[in-house]
């Protein structure tokens, strides 16, 4: 009788303790991440911290080099050229460019044009409103006049490349190369260029795309 | 006999007074050495893994640059560090400059961390150094 009761208690108590212990270890709820203080584990793929790091280092290098200073004392007018994604991941290259663009603009030395782009203007509004010329429906004094738009004098182009290496111990090494160049459109000369490398090493079965 | 005892007391008292005077006149230097208005936060266990830490801001270039110098101690440590720039009126300069950057410090090896502010109006800086679990 006593033995039966002991077995019965053991059957209930042990699973309950085990369940509580496992429940305490596993975080099942969704959590917000403080992007200013993220201590999350690294991943083999590119995450926002990598883009932030590459963009931050590049914009800091560009600004401190003095390449963006207009020799005439004004502000450079920048257009964004082609940024190639040569990785095995689907990457929106804007993830790299947006922080660079806003930091450059914030520096007060550069303005960006959205009216010119290699695949058409980034914002088509500037041209669209010009089609309102001679429309009787619009007060022509409020329609943008001819010769008002400012052409860019420099462009930003670059690429993100990836290289995979299997190491002797079976682990994978992924190398990401972020490359950017600032070109003077009038002369075609490269004013500044830089390459930042982010290297990650992980288990061979980790997928990075 | 009484003279010897009195002499001993006199010697001890004068020694204590001398030591006390030395202690009070010794200048107490701040550690880490940080320029006024700026801040350098060393999170546990970075304080014990570094020595001779200092923070200075150079303004000779077109943009202010913060330079943190020091020496590693005890063990090789992977670190992450960030900068927060502030204007003269105390507003934080937003952008990518406040991201965490990675570095490694080695025992008895001097190191320098350097970051340039994104705008010329950046006046003061708050630097934070923490241990990295991702390296």
């Amino acid at each position: 009788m006593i033995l039966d009761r002991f077995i019965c208690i053991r059957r209930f108590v042990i699973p309950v303790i085990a369940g509580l212990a496992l429940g305490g270890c596993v975080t099942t709820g969704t959590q917000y991440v403080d992007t200013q203080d993220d201590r999350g584990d690294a991943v083999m793929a590119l995450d926002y911290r990598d883009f932030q790091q590459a963009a931050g280092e590049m914009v800091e290098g560009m600004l401190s080099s003095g390449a963006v200073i207009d020799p005439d004392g004004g502000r450079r007018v920048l257009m964004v050229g082609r940024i190639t994604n040569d990785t095995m991941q689907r990457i929106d290259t804007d993830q790299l460019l947006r922080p660079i663009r806003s930091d450059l603009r914030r520096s007060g030395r550069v303005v960006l044009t959205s009216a010119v782009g290699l695949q058409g203007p980034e914002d088509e509004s500037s041209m669209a409103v010009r089609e309102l010329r001679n429309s009787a429906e619009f007060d022509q004094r409020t329609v943008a006049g001819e010769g008002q738009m400012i052409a860019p004098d420099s462009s930003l182009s670059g690429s993100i490349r990836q290289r995979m290496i299997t190491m002797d111990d079976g682990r994978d090494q992924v190398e990401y190369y972020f490359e950017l160049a600032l070109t003077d459109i009038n002369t075609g000369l490269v004013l500044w260029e830089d390459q930042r490398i982010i290297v990650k090493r992980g288990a061979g079965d980790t997928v990075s795309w | 006999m009484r003279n010897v005892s009195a002499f001993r007391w006199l010697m001890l008292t004068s020694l204590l007074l001398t030591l006390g005077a030395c202690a009070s006149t010794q200048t107490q230097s701040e550690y880490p050495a940080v320029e006024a208005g700026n801040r350098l936060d060393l999170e546990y266990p970075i304080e014990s893994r570094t020595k001779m830490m200092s923070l200075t801001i150079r303004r000779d270039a077109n943009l202010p640059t913060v330079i943190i110098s020091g020496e590693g101690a005890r063990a090789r440590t992977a670190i992450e560090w960030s900068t927060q720039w502030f204007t003269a009126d105390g507003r934080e300069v937003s952008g990518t400059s406040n991201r965490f950057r990675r570095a490694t410090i080695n025992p008895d090896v001097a190191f320098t961390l350097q970051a340039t502010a994104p705008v010329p109006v950046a006046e003061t800086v708050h630097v934070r150094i923490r241990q990295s679990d991702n390296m």
Side-chain angles (χ1 to χ4, degrees), chain A residues 56-57 60-61 64 196, chain B residues 54-58 60-61 63-70 79 81-83 85 97 99 101-103 111-117 125 127 129:
Chain A
E57 285 177 4
E60 206 171 292
S64 56
R196 295 286 156 171
Chain B
S54 68
L55 182 152
T56 49
I57 295 184
R58 285 244 175 99
D60 48 356
L63 293 165
T65 300
V66 62
I67 299 167
I68 304 117
S69 308
I79 61 162
W81 63 286
S82 73
T83 56
W85 290 94
S97 61
R99 73 198 181 274
R101 306 145 198 250
R102 286 186 284 273
F111 65 88
T112 305
L113 309 169
Q114 195 170 303
T116 304
V125 71
V127 177
I129 305 180

Side-chain angles (χ1 to χ4, degrees), chain A residues 21 137 146 174:
Chain A
E137 300 299 325
E146 291 179 353
V174 193

Side-chain angles (χ1 to χ4, degrees), chain B residues 34-130:
Chain B
V34 177
E35 273 182 25
N38 302 292
R39 204 170 140 179
L40 175 59
D41 285 347
L42 306 174
E43 284 185 21
Y44 175 82
I46 299 301
E47 200 167 17
S48 61
R49 304 276 175 93
T50 52
K51 54 189 178 186
M52 294 185 284
M53 294 289 283
S54 68
L55 182 152
T56 49
I57 295 184
R58 285 244 175 99
R59 293 180 196 279
D60 48 356
N62 48 16
L63 293 165
T65 300
V66 62
I67 299 167
I68 304 117
S69 308
E71 202 176 295
R74 290 177 65 180
R76 188 175 191 268
T77 309
I79 61 162
E80 290 174 350
W81 63 286
S82 73
T83 56
Q84 266 179 299
W85 290 94
F86 296 89
T87 57
D89 57 3
R91 286 188 200 173
E92 187 186 343
V93 177
S94 57
T96 54
S97 61
N98 61 3
R99 73 198 181 274
F100 271 94
R101 306 145 198 250
R102 286 186 284 273
T104 308
I105 51 177
N106 292 292
D108 302 319
V109 178
F111 65 88
T112 305
L113 309 169
Q114 195 170 303
T116 304
V119 289
V121 292
E123 199 65 33
T124 56
V125 71
H126 175 184
V127 177
R128 199 177 143 193
I129 305 180
R130 70 185 189 193

Side-chain angles (χ1 to χ4, degrees), chain A residues 64-116:
Chain A
S64 56
S65 73
V68 293
I69 296 173
D70 186 358
D72 300 329
R75 289 188 292 179
R76 282 200 174 273
V77 182
L78 185 72
M79 71 169 274
V80 176
R82 186 167 284 117
I83 308 288
T84 316
N85 171 23
D86 193 11
T87 71
M88 287 175 262
Q89 298 170 49
R90 281 190 65 181
I91 294 172
D92 180 2
T93 52
D94 251 16
Q95 274 185 283
L96 176 71
L97 275 177
R98 282 287 160 186
I100 292 177
R101 289 169 55 144
S102 53
D103 271 11
L104 286 176
R105 202 180 40 74
R106 212 176 279 121
S107 74
R109 289 171 179 172
V110 176
V111 282
L112 285 115
T113 176
S114 61
V116 187

Side-chain angles (χ1 to χ4, degrees), chain A residues 42-45 164-174 176 200-209:
Chain A
V43 289
M44 289 291 266
M164 289 270 303
I165 298 163
T166 303
M167 303 184 69
D168 291 345
D169 60 4
R171 288 192 301 163
D172 279 343
Q173 177 166 301
V174 193
Y176 296 103
K200 300 181 181 196
R201 228 167 263 163
D205 56 356
T206 316
V207 182
S208 65
W209 58 87

